[in-house]
Amino acid sequence: MGETIARETVEELASRLGEPAWLVDCRLAARELYLQKPNPTERDEDWRQTDIGALDLTGMRILSLSSPVVTTEAPANLPVRIQTGLKHFNKLSGLLVQSTASGGHLVFDEDLAKKGVIFCDIFTAVKNHADKVRPALTPADGLAEEGKFTLLTRALFNCGLFLYIPKGVHIELPFFYGIELDSTEAVPAALLPYLVVVAEENSSASLVYTPGAKISITDGIRPSNLIAQYADLHIGANSKLRFLEVHDYSDNMFMIGTSNCHVSRDARYETLALAMGGRQVKSDLSTQLDAPGATSDVYGVVLGAGHEKYSFNTIQGHAAPDTTSNITFRVALTDHSSSVYQGIVRVDKIAQRTNAYQSNKNLLLDGNARADSIPKLEILADDVKCSHGATVGPVDREQIFYLRSRGLTEQQAEELVVLGFFRQVVEQFSLEAAQSWLSDLVAAKIHGEVSQADFFEDFDQ
Amino acid sequence: MATKAILEIRNLHVAVDGKEILKGVDLTVNAGEVHALMGRNGSGKSTLSYTLMGHPRYEVTEGEVFYHGQNLLELTTDERSRAGMYLAFQYPVAIPGVSVSNFLRTTVKGRRGGDLPVKEFRKELKQLMANLSIKDEFLSRYVNDGFSGGEKKKLEILQMALLKPELALLDETDSGLDIDALRTVAEGINTLKTADRAILLITHYQRMLDYVTPNFVHVMQGGRIVKSGDSDLARELEAHGYDQIAPELAGSAL
Ligand SMILES: Nc1ncnc2c1ncn2[C@@H]1O[C@H](COP(=O)(O)OP(=O)(O)OP(=O)(O)O)[C@@H](O)[C@H]1O
Ligand SMILES: [Mg+2]
């Protein structure tokens, strides 16, 4: 892996975007720290079995995306992958798409804008809402603790989102943010999205985020494209935020991401990450329960095939008493794919009466697939309820036989078992569109087409 | 008119994990017939039904099986199903996360092919469920997950009624049913009794055979069919037990 990001690269990017000095300084400071940090290797605990050897940052093109065109309706020329995702939502509060092929588009409900809700790309936010976005972009406690790739994103972010929900505003319909990186040029390309979400006190909102690309590689050029993202989420007292992430990449792509959510008093964070493809997907999902009554529910579903590799680290941070965290992570792997899951439960000394639950189940559909699960407990308080469990095992052949005896082929039977395995997680997530979307993604991945089964289309009522 | 054989089993030997369980089964089932298969615990009845459905653990070491004159043993399990065979499991398997409604719709769609109009299917399903007194709430539950013994058996019969197999193998579907359920399940089975279908009913109890009258009754012992007769044989077994009826095998080890 190459290391250098030239200072000029940062400066050019910032001047092209016409950024204010405070942000340029911030980018440069992040670059400095980035250069000081050693490259992660598989010997680093957080990077176990994570292979980014083929990623060449030196030669990588930091793409520039045109700023979004504001329209009243979703345009027809959106990337197919994003259209397929949008199909699962009848109505949205806002839609932002940033695509290397079809450009940027923004649709946003005006009534919400009048209430003070902000939904725009990150650069528009820097221009028009600096007071609100600046605290997130320039953290008070500095950048020294941040990971190498978070620093990379801070130095070079070239796309991103700002979502701001004012005090007392409750929004039922989700916001949708899609990113598409479909470059097939020989020189690898990178998108570095930076997402900032702020939900003030007594508010609620949902955000759907899908970065990815499903490029078809025809003549053997397989650029090692990269999406390196950082998501910074803040949930004010008594507020609720739902966050659905759908990662769907072709097998030339790397995704390295960190999301960090701070949850205040009596607030709730509910998130589901779906990962359905990519050469190496590496994601750190961290929730910090900062005040009493804070709760987080983190769900994850991974379906691996081919030689795909997944590394998910979750961090359940309890920094205050009477806080509750749940993590349920399920992974199904076929072919030679592999996954490593590391689940950290961190309970500070003051965080008495913590409830922490962690479960990771892995289903191996092929003898060559491999899954590892590593729980890590760092518990400093003494009055804590903490449970964790992990399983790794093959598909139950009796289930497959039962389904085949009803006429399903082996492949259909496996699809159904995998969907059932995932559904037990996804149906706990309260944004229902995730269920039908997941079944489409699974069907598309297992046999390259949309589900025949209409699996989640319930018809019984 | 010549009777039409749906199933012909000749000298069938089957091993599980290297141990021979079936030791030469011969049985012919013609269209329109109901056969009852009885026998002590461990005599090989379920082994026969799993083998007929193609369970990968059951290895046919000798013999032949024909279904409509075609070599059954070359078909995969799902091919057998699509060819019209159905096995109601003695121990139905739970599929967590898969709701009954979606499971039924997926399997029925797969079998009937093409589009399955939601409305008509729902109507048909609701009717069958009412007949079997299965509550609507079962549709949203996971397949067999946490079901009581009797509830599982009812779901097996519901599936049979939807799939309308030509050859139904019912492995102790009557076990674990309460008296009312037994009657409704028997009605479900009788509905399937038509001139072009056949049923192989594995049971321990005469009560089931009071509702579904078999044309033939077979007694399995030690992996073979050791005695066959008409419905009177079942009554004799009920009255006198296996020792009297099949004395040559009394007390034999498995
Ligand atoms: N994997 C195995 N290894 C050894 N023996 C086995 C194995 N599986 C089944 N058997 C034996 O095969 C015999 C036949 O079993 P089977 O389930 O066919 O009996 P059954 O007639 O259906 O009995 P029941 O009336 O109790 O249902 C039993 O003795 C059983 O223990
Ligand atoms: Mg049995």
Side-chain angles (χ1 to χ4, degrees), chain A residues 94-151:
Chain A
L95 169 69
L96 173 62
V97 175
Q98 297 190 288
S99 159
T100 51
S102 58
H105 297 278
L106 180 90
V107 185
F108 180 37
D109 182 346
E110 266 182 37
D111 294 338
L112 291 175
K114 280 182 201 139
K115 286 183 187 166
V117 177
I118 301 167
F119 176 69
C120 62
D121 74 282
I122 191 89
F123 303 117
T124 301
V126 167
K127 266 188 213 110
N128 301 342
H129 309 283
D131 56 320
K132 296 205 169 63
V133 76
R134 188 171 170 176
L137 295 175
T138 52
D141 41 2
L143 305 174
E145 294 301 306
E146 296 197 338
K148 178 116 177 159
F149 278 83
T150 301
L151 292 166

Short mmCIF file of all heavy atoms in Angstrom, two decimals, chain A residues 94-151:
data_model
loop_
_atom_site.label_atom_id
_atom_site.label_comp_id
_atom_site.label_asym_id
_atom_site.label_seq_id
_atom_site.Cartn_x
_atom_site.Cartn_y
_atom_site.Cartn_z
N GLY A 94 -36.43 13.16 1.85
CA GLY A 94 -35.40 13.78 1.02
C GLY A 94 -34.56 12.72 0.33
O GLY A 94 -34.45 11.60 0.82
N LEU A 95 -34.02 13.10 -0.83
CA LEU A 95 -33.18 12.17 -1.57
C LEU A 95 -31.94 12.92 -2.06
O LEU A 95 -32.05 13.97 -2.69
CB LEU A 95 -33.96 11.63 -2.79
CG LEU A 95 -33.16 10.85 -3.84
CD1 LEU A 95 -32.68 9.51 -3.28
CD2 LEU A 95 -34.00 10.61 -5.09
N LEU A 96 -30.79 12.37 -1.75
CA LEU A 96 -29.55 12.92 -2.29
C LEU A 96 -28.77 11.79 -2.94
O LEU A 96 -28.55 10.74 -2.32
CB LEU A 96 -28.70 13.56 -1.17
CG LEU A 96 -27.29 14.04 -1.59
CD1 LEU A 96 -27.34 15.14 -2.64
CD2 LEU A 96 -26.50 14.52 -0.37
N VAL A 97 -28.42 11.99 -4.21
CA VAL A 97 -27.63 10.98 -4.90
C VAL A 97 -26.38 11.65 -5.45
O VAL A 97 -26.46 12.74 -6.03
CB VAL A 97 -28.44 10.33 -6.06
CG1 VAL A 97 -27.56 9.37 -6.84
CG2 VAL A 97 -29.66 9.61 -5.51
N GLN A 98 -25.24 11.03 -5.21
CA GLN A 98 -24.00 11.53 -5.80
C GLN A 98 -23.36 10.38 -6.56
O GLN A 98 -23.03 9.35 -5.99
CB GLN A 98 -23.07 12.05 -4.70
CG GLN A 98 -23.70 13.24 -3.97
CD GLN A 98 -22.72 13.93 -3.05
OE1 GLN A 98 -22.37 13.41 -2.01
NE2 GLN A 98 -22.28 15.12 -3.43
N SER A 99 -23.25 10.59 -7.87
CA SER A 99 -22.80 9.50 -8.72
C SER A 99 -21.71 9.99 -9.66
O SER A 99 -21.81 11.08 -10.22
CB SER A 99 -23.98 8.96 -9.53
OG SER A 99 -23.52 8.27 -10.65
N THR A 100 -20.70 9.18 -9.84
CA THR A 100 -19.63 9.57 -10.76
C THR A 100 -20.12 9.56 -12.20
O THR A 100 -19.54 10.21 -13.05
CB THR A 100 -18.43 8.61 -10.64
OG1 THR A 100 -18.91 7.27 -10.75
CG2 THR A 100 -17.73 8.78 -9.30
N ALA A 101 -21.18 8.82 -12.47
CA ALA A 101 -21.70 8.76 -13.83
C ALA A 101 -22.82 9.77 -14.07
O ALA A 101 -22.78 10.54 -15.02
CB ALA A 101 -22.21 7.35 -14.13
N SER A 102 -23.82 9.79 -13.20
CA SER A 102 -25.00 10.62 -13.49
C SER A 102 -25.04 11.93 -12.70
O SER A 102 -26.03 12.65 -12.74
CB SER A 102 -26.27 9.80 -13.26
OG SER A 102 -26.30 9.34 -11.93
N GLY A 103 -23.99 12.25 -11.97
CA GLY A 103 -23.93 13.52 -11.27
C GLY A 103 -24.68 13.53 -9.95
O GLY A 103 -25.00 12.49 -9.40
N GLY A 104 -24.96 14.75 -9.47
CA GLY A 104 -25.61 14.86 -8.17
C GLY A 104 -27.05 15.34 -8.29
O GLY A 104 -27.38 16.13 -9.17
N HIS A 105 -27.90 14.82 -7.44
CA HIS A 105 -29.31 15.21 -7.44
C HIS A 105 -29.81 15.33 -6.02
O HIS A 105 -29.50 14.49 -5.18
CB HIS A 105 -30.16 14.16 -8.17
CG HIS A 105 -29.81 14.03 -9.60
ND1 HIS A 105 -30.29 14.90 -10.56
CD2 HIS A 105 -29.00 13.16 -10.24
CE1 HIS A 105 -29.78 14.56 -11.73
NE2 HIS A 105 -29.00 13.51 -11.58
N LEU A 106 -30.60 16.35 -5.80
CA LEU A 106 -31.19 16.53 -4.48
C LEU A 106 -32.68 16.81 -4.61
O LEU A 106 -33.10 17.65 -5.40
CB LEU A 106 -30.53 17.69 -3.75
CG LEU A 106 -31.09 17.94 -2.35
CD1 LEU A 106 -30.34 17.14 -1.30
CD2 LEU A 106 -31.05 19.42 -1.98
N VAL A 107 -33.47 16.06 -3.85
CA VAL A 107 -34.90 16.32 -3.75
C VAL A 107 -35.17 16.46 -2.25
O VAL A 107 -34.72 15.63 -1.47
CB VAL A 107 -35.73 15.13 -4.31
CG1 VAL A 107 -37.21 15.47 -4.29
CG2 VAL A 107 -35.28 14.74 -5.70
N PHE A 108 -35.88 17.52 -1.89
CA PHE A 108 -36.07 17.74 -0.46
C PHE A 108 -37.42 18.41 -0.23
O PHE A 108 -37.77 19.40 -0.89
CB PHE A 108 -34.92 18.60 0.07
CG PHE A 108 -34.98 18.91 1.54
CD1 PHE A 108 -35.45 17.97 2.45
CD2 PHE A 108 -34.57 20.15 2.01
CE1 PHE A 108 -35.50 18.27 3.81
CE2 PHE A 108 -34.61 20.44 3.37
CZ PHE A 108 -35.09 19.50 4.27
N ASP A 109 -38.15 17.85 0.70
CA ASP A 109 -39.46 18.35 1.08
C ASP A 109 -39.36 19.78 1.64
O ASP A 109 -38.73 20.00 2.68
CB ASP A 109 -40.02 17.37 2.14
CG ASP A 109 -41.41 17.74 2.61
OD1 ASP A 109 -41.87 18.87 2.33
OD2 ASP A 109 -42.04 16.88 3.26
N GLU A 110 -40.00 20.72 0.95
CA GLU A 110 -39.88 22.14 1.35
C GLU A 110 -40.44 22.44 2.73
O GLU A 110 -39.93 23.29 3.45
CB GLU A 110 -40.58 23.03 0.34
CG GLU A 110 -39.64 23.55 -0.73
CD GLU A 110 -40.37 24.48 -1.69
OE1 GLU A 110 -41.24 25.24 -1.23
OE2 GLU A 110 -40.05 24.42 -2.89
N ASP A 111 -41.50 21.75 3.08
CA ASP A 111 -42.10 21.99 4.40
C ASP A 111 -41.11 21.70 5.51
O ASP A 111 -41.08 22.37 6.53
CB ASP A 111 -43.34 21.11 4.60
CG ASP A 111 -44.46 21.51 3.64
OD1 ASP A 111 -44.42 22.67 3.16
OD2 ASP A 111 -45.32 20.66 3.36
N LEU A 112 -40.28 20.67 5.27
CA LEU A 112 -39.27 20.34 6.28
C LEU A 112 -38.21 21.44 6.34
O LEU A 112 -37.75 21.81 7.42
CB LEU A 112 -38.63 18.99 5.97
CG LEU A 112 -39.56 17.78 6.15
CD1 LEU A 112 -38.86 16.50 5.69
CD2 LEU A 112 -40.01 17.64 7.60
N ALA A 113 -37.83 21.96 5.19
CA ALA A 113 -36.84 23.04 5.16
C ALA A 113 -37.36 24.23 5.97
O ALA A 113 -36.62 24.85 6.73
CB ALA A 113 -36.56 23.45 3.72
N LYS A 114 -38.66 24.50 5.83
CA LYS A 114 -39.25 25.62 6.58
C LYS A 114 -39.18 25.40 8.08
O LYS A 114 -39.08 26.34 8.86
CB LYS A 114 -40.70 25.83 6.15
CG LYS A 114 -40.81 26.60 4.85
CD LYS A 114 -42.26 26.84 4.46
CE LYS A 114 -42.35 27.13 2.98
NZ LYS A 114 -43.50 26.47 2.35
N LYS A 115 -39.25 24.15 8.48
CA LYS A 115 -39.15 23.85 9.92
C LYS A 115 -37.72 23.92 10.44
O LYS A 115 -37.47 23.65 11.61
CB LYS A 115 -39.69 22.45 10.20
CG LYS A 115 -41.19 22.33 10.11
CD LYS A 115 -41.60 20.91 10.47
CE LYS A 115 -43.09 20.69 10.22
NZ LYS A 115 -43.43 19.27 10.24
N GLY A 116 -36.80 24.16 9.54
CA GLY A 116 -35.41 24.26 9.96
C GLY A 116 -34.59 22.99 9.75
O GLY A 116 -33.44 22.90 10.17
N VAL A 117 -35.20 22.02 9.11
CA VAL A 117 -34.45 20.79 8.82
C VAL A 117 -33.46 21.08 7.69
O VAL A 117 -33.79 21.79 6.74
CB VAL A 117 -35.42 19.66 8.39
CG1 VAL A 117 -34.65 18.40 8.01
CG2 VAL A 117 -36.43 19.39 9.49
N ILE A 118 -32.26 20.56 7.83
CA ILE A 118 -31.26 20.74 6.77
C ILE A 118 -30.91 19.37 6.20
O ILE A 118 -30.64 18.42 6.94
CB ILE A 118 -29.97 21.39 7.33
CG1 ILE A 118 -30.30 22.76 7.95
CG2 ILE A 118 -28.92 21.54 6.23
CD1 ILE A 118 -29.16 23.33 8.79
N PHE A 119 -30.99 19.27 4.89
CA PHE A 119 -30.63 18.03 4.21
C PHE A 119 -29.93 18.43 2.93
O PHE A 119 -30.56 18.94 2.00
CB PHE A 119 -31.90 17.22 3.92
CG PHE A 119 -31.65 15.96 3.12
CD1 PHE A 119 -30.98 14.88 3.68
CD2 PHE A 119 -32.10 15.84 1.81
CE1 PHE A 119 -30.76 13.71 2.96
CE2 PHE A 119 -31.89 14.67 1.08
CZ PHE A 119 -31.22 13.61 1.66
N CYS A 120 -28.61 18.28 2.90
CA CYS A 120 -27.86 18.72 1.72
C CYS A 120 -26.51 18.03 1.68
O CYS A 120 -26.14 17.32 2.60
CB CYS A 120 -27.67 20.23 1.75
SG CYS A 120 -26.72 20.82 3.15
N ASP A 121 -25.80 18.20 0.58
CA ASP A 121 -24.46 17.63 0.52
C ASP A 121 -23.55 18.41 1.46
O ASP A 121 -23.83 19.55 1.82
CB ASP A 121 -23.95 17.63 -0.92
CG ASP A 121 -23.56 19.02 -1.36
OD1 ASP A 121 -24.46 19.81 -1.69
OD2 ASP A 121 -22.35 19.33 -1.32
N ILE A 122 -22.44 17.82 1.84
CA ILE A 122 -21.60 18.37 2.90
C ILE A 122 -21.00 19.73 2.51
O ILE A 122 -20.83 20.60 3.35
CB ILE A 122 -20.50 17.35 3.30
CG1 ILE A 122 -19.78 17.76 4.57
CG2 ILE A 122 -19.49 17.11 2.19
CD1 ILE A 122 -20.42 17.26 5.82
N PHE A 123 -20.73 19.92 1.21
CA PHE A 123 -20.10 21.19 0.80
C PHE A 123 -21.08 22.35 0.84
O PHE A 123 -20.72 23.47 1.19
CB PHE A 123 -19.44 21.03 -0.57
CG PHE A 123 -18.43 19.92 -0.56
CD1 PHE A 123 -18.59 18.80 -1.37
CD2 PHE A 123 -17.34 19.97 0.30
CE1 PHE A 123 -17.67 17.76 -1.33
CE2 PHE A 123 -16.41 18.93 0.34
CZ PHE A 123 -16.59 17.82 -0.48
N THR A 124 -22.31 22.07 0.49
CA THR A 124 -23.35 23.09 0.62
C THR A 124 -23.52 23.46 2.10
O THR A 124 -23.71 24.62 2.45
CB THR A 124 -24.68 22.56 0.03
OG1 THR A 124 -24.45 22.23 -1.33
CG2 THR A 124 -25.79 23.59 0.13
N ALA A 125 -23.43 22.46 2.95
CA ALA A 125 -23.55 22.72 4.38
C ALA A 125 -22.41 23.61 4.87
O ALA A 125 -22.61 24.52 5.68
CB ALA A 125 -23.57 21.41 5.16
N VAL A 126 -21.20 23.35 4.37
CA VAL A 126 -20.05 24.17 4.77
C VAL A 126 -20.29 25.63 4.35
O VAL A 126 -20.00 26.56 5.09
CB VAL A 126 -18.74 23.62 4.16
CG1 VAL A 126 -17.60 24.63 4.30
CG2 VAL A 126 -18.38 22.29 4.82
N LYS A 127 -20.85 25.80 3.17
CA LYS A 127 -21.14 27.16 2.68
C LYS A 127 -22.27 27.83 3.46
O LYS A 127 -22.16 28.95 3.91
CB LYS A 127 -21.55 27.10 1.20
CG LYS A 127 -20.37 27.33 0.27
CD LYS A 127 -20.83 27.46 -1.19
CE LYS A 127 -19.75 26.88 -2.10
NZ LYS A 127 -20.13 25.64 -2.75
N ASN A 128 -23.38 27.12 3.59
CA ASN A 128 -24.60 27.77 4.10
C ASN A 128 -24.89 27.54 5.57
O ASN A 128 -25.71 28.24 6.15
CB ASN A 128 -25.82 27.31 3.28
CG ASN A 128 -25.66 27.63 1.81
OD1 ASN A 128 -24.82 28.46 1.44
ND2 ASN A 128 -26.43 26.97 0.97
N HIS A 129 -24.32 26.52 6.15
CA HIS A 129 -24.66 26.19 7.54
C HIS A 129 -23.40 25.90 8.35
O HIS A 129 -23.36 24.96 9.14
CB HIS A 129 -25.60 24.98 7.60
CG HIS A 129 -26.79 25.10 6.70
ND1 HIS A 129 -27.87 25.87 7.02
CD2 HIS A 129 -27.05 24.56 5.48
CE1 HIS A 129 -28.77 25.80 6.02
NE2 HIS A 129 -28.28 25.01 5.08
N ALA A 130 -22.38 26.71 8.14
CA ALA A 130 -21.08 26.46 8.78
C ALA A 130 -21.20 26.35 10.30
O ALA A 130 -20.56 25.51 10.93
CB ALA A 130 -20.09 27.56 8.41
N ASP A 131 -22.07 27.21 10.90
CA ASP A 131 -22.21 27.19 12.36
C ASP A 131 -22.62 25.81 12.86
O ASP A 131 -22.20 25.37 13.92
CB ASP A 131 -23.23 28.25 12.79
CG ASP A 131 -24.59 28.03 12.10
OD1 ASP A 131 -24.60 27.70 10.89
OD2 ASP A 131 -25.63 28.18 12.79
N LYS A 132 -23.45 25.13 12.08
CA LYS A 132 -23.96 23.84 12.55
C LYS A 132 -23.04 22.67 12.21
O LYS A 132 -22.96 21.69 12.94
CB LYS A 132 -25.34 23.59 11.95
CG LYS A 132 -26.36 24.62 12.44
CD LYS A 132 -27.76 24.08 12.36
CE LYS A 132 -28.74 24.98 13.09
NZ LYS A 132 -28.83 26.35 12.51
N VAL A 133 -22.37 22.75 11.08
CA VAL A 133 -21.58 21.60 10.64
C VAL A 133 -20.13 21.67 11.15
O VAL A 133 -19.46 20.65 11.31
CB VAL A 133 -21.66 21.42 9.10
CG1 VAL A 133 -20.79 22.43 8.37
CG2 VAL A 133 -21.33 20.00 8.71
N ARG A 134 -19.70 22.88 11.45
CA ARG A 134 -18.29 23.05 11.82
C ARG A 134 -17.88 22.28 13.08
O ARG A 134 -16.80 21.67 13.10
CB ARG A 134 -17.97 24.54 11.98
CG ARG A 134 -16.48 24.79 12.17
CD ARG A 134 -16.15 26.27 12.12
NE ARG A 134 -14.76 26.46 12.55
CZ ARG A 134 -14.14 27.63 12.54
NH1 ARG A 134 -14.76 28.71 12.12
NH2 ARG A 134 -12.89 27.71 12.94
N PRO A 135 -18.71 22.28 14.11
CA PRO A 135 -18.29 21.53 15.31
C PRO A 135 -17.97 20.06 15.01
O PRO A 135 -17.06 19.48 15.60
CB PRO A 135 -19.50 21.64 16.24
CG PRO A 135 -20.26 22.82 15.77
CD PRO A 135 -20.02 22.93 14.30
N ALA A 136 -18.71 19.46 14.09
CA ALA A 136 -18.44 18.06 13.77
C ALA A 136 -17.16 17.90 12.97
O ALA A 136 -16.40 16.96 13.16
CB ALA A 136 -19.62 17.47 12.99
N LEU A 137 -16.94 18.86 12.06
CA LEU A 137 -15.75 18.75 11.20
C LEU A 137 -14.47 19.10 11.93
O LEU A 137 -13.39 18.70 11.51
CB LEU A 137 -15.92 19.65 9.96
CG LEU A 137 -17.06 19.25 9.00
CD1 LEU A 137 -17.19 20.28 7.88
CD2 LEU A 137 -16.82 17.88 8.40
N THR A 138 -14.59 19.86 13.00
CA THR A 138 -13.40 20.23 13.79
C THR A 138 -13.60 19.81 15.24
O THR A 138 -13.96 20.63 16.08
CB THR A 138 -13.17 21.76 13.74
OG1 THR A 138 -14.41 22.40 14.12
CG2 THR A 138 -12.77 22.23 12.38
N PRO A 139 -13.42 18.55 15.56
CA PRO A 139 -13.72 18.07 16.90
C PRO A 139 -12.85 18.75 17.96
O PRO A 139 -11.65 18.95 17.74
CB PRO A 139 -13.43 16.57 16.83
CG PRO A 139 -12.64 16.35 15.61
CD PRO A 139 -12.91 17.49 14.68
N ALA A 140 -13.49 19.09 19.09
CA ALA A 140 -12.80 19.83 20.15
C ALA A 140 -11.63 19.04 20.73
O ALA A 140 -10.58 19.60 21.05
CB ALA A 140 -13.80 20.18 21.25
N ASP A 141 -11.80 17.72 20.84
CA ASP A 141 -10.74 16.95 21.48
C ASP A 141 -9.68 16.45 20.49
O ASP A 141 -8.94 15.52 20.77
CB ASP A 141 -11.32 15.81 22.32
CG ASP A 141 -12.47 15.12 21.62
OD1 ASP A 141 -12.78 15.51 20.47
OD2 ASP A 141 -13.04 14.18 22.21
N GLY A 142 -9.63 17.09 19.34
CA GLY A 142 -8.53 16.80 18.43
C GLY A 142 -8.70 15.52 17.65
O GLY A 142 -9.69 14.81 17.77
N LEU A 143 -7.70 15.21 16.83
CA LEU A 143 -7.80 14.10 15.90
C LEU A 143 -6.83 12.97 16.24
O LEU A 143 -6.80 11.95 15.57
CB LEU A 143 -7.50 14.59 14.49
CG LEU A 143 -8.32 15.77 13.95
CD1 LEU A 143 -7.79 16.21 12.60
CD2 LEU A 143 -9.79 15.39 13.84
N ALA A 144 -6.05 13.19 17.30
CA ALA A 144 -4.93 12.27 17.56
C ALA A 144 -5.37 10.82 17.72
O ALA A 144 -4.64 9.90 17.34
CB ALA A 144 -4.17 12.74 18.80
N GLU A 145 -6.58 10.62 18.27
CA GLU A 145 -7.03 9.25 18.55
C GLU A 145 -7.61 8.55 17.33
O GLU A 145 -7.96 7.39 17.38
CB GLU A 145 -8.10 9.28 19.65
CG GLU A 145 -7.60 9.73 21.01
CD GLU A 145 -6.49 8.83 21.52
OE1 GLU A 145 -6.70 7.60 21.57
OE2 GLU A 145 -5.40 9.35 21.84
N GLU A 146 -7.74 9.29 16.25
CA GLU A 146 -8.48 8.71 15.13
C GLU A 146 -7.65 7.76 14.30
O GLU A 146 -6.43 7.84 14.23
CB GLU A 146 -9.06 9.84 14.28
CG GLU A 146 -10.07 10.61 15.11
CD GLU A 146 -11.00 11.46 14.30
OE1 GLU A 146 -10.65 11.80 13.16
OE2 GLU A 146 -12.07 11.79 14.84
N GLY A 147 -8.36 6.84 13.65
CA GLY A 147 -7.71 5.82 12.85
C GLY A 147 -7.18 6.41 11.55
O GLY A 147 -7.61 7.48 11.10
N LYS A 148 -6.25 5.71 10.98
CA LYS A 148 -5.58 6.18 9.77
C LYS A 148 -6.57 6.53 8.67
O LYS A 148 -6.44 7.55 8.00
CB LYS A 148 -4.62 5.07 9.31
CG LYS A 148 -3.88 5.38 8.04
CD LYS A 148 -2.40 5.48 8.25
CE LYS A 148 -1.69 5.71 6.92
NZ LYS A 148 -0.36 6.29 7.12
N PHE A 149 -7.55 5.67 8.47
CA PHE A 149 -8.46 5.91 7.35
C PHE A 149 -9.51 6.98 7.65
O PHE A 149 -10.00 7.63 6.73
CB PHE A 149 -9.08 4.60 6.87
CG PHE A 149 -8.17 3.85 5.96
CD1 PHE A 149 -7.18 3.03 6.46
CD2 PHE A 149 -8.27 4.02 4.59
CE1 PHE A 149 -6.30 2.36 5.61
CE2 PHE A 149 -7.41 3.37 3.72
CZ PHE A 149 -6.42 2.54 4.24
N THR A 150 -9.84 7.17 8.90
CA THR A 150 -10.72 8.29 9.24
C THR A 150 -9.99 9.59 8.94
O THR A 150 -10.57 10.54 8.39
CB THR A 150 -11.11 8.22 10.74
OG1 THR A 150 -11.77 6.98 10.96
CG2 THR A 150 -12.03 9.36 11.12
N LEU A 151 -8.71 9.62 9.24
CA LEU A 151 -7.90 10.80 8.93
C LEU A 151 -7.83 11.02 7.43
O LEU A 151 -7.89 12.15 6.95
CB LEU A 151 -6.50 10.65 9.54
CG LEU A 151 -6.47 10.68 11.07
CD1 LEU A 151 -5.12 10.18 11.59
CD2 LEU A 151 -6.74 12.09 11.59
#
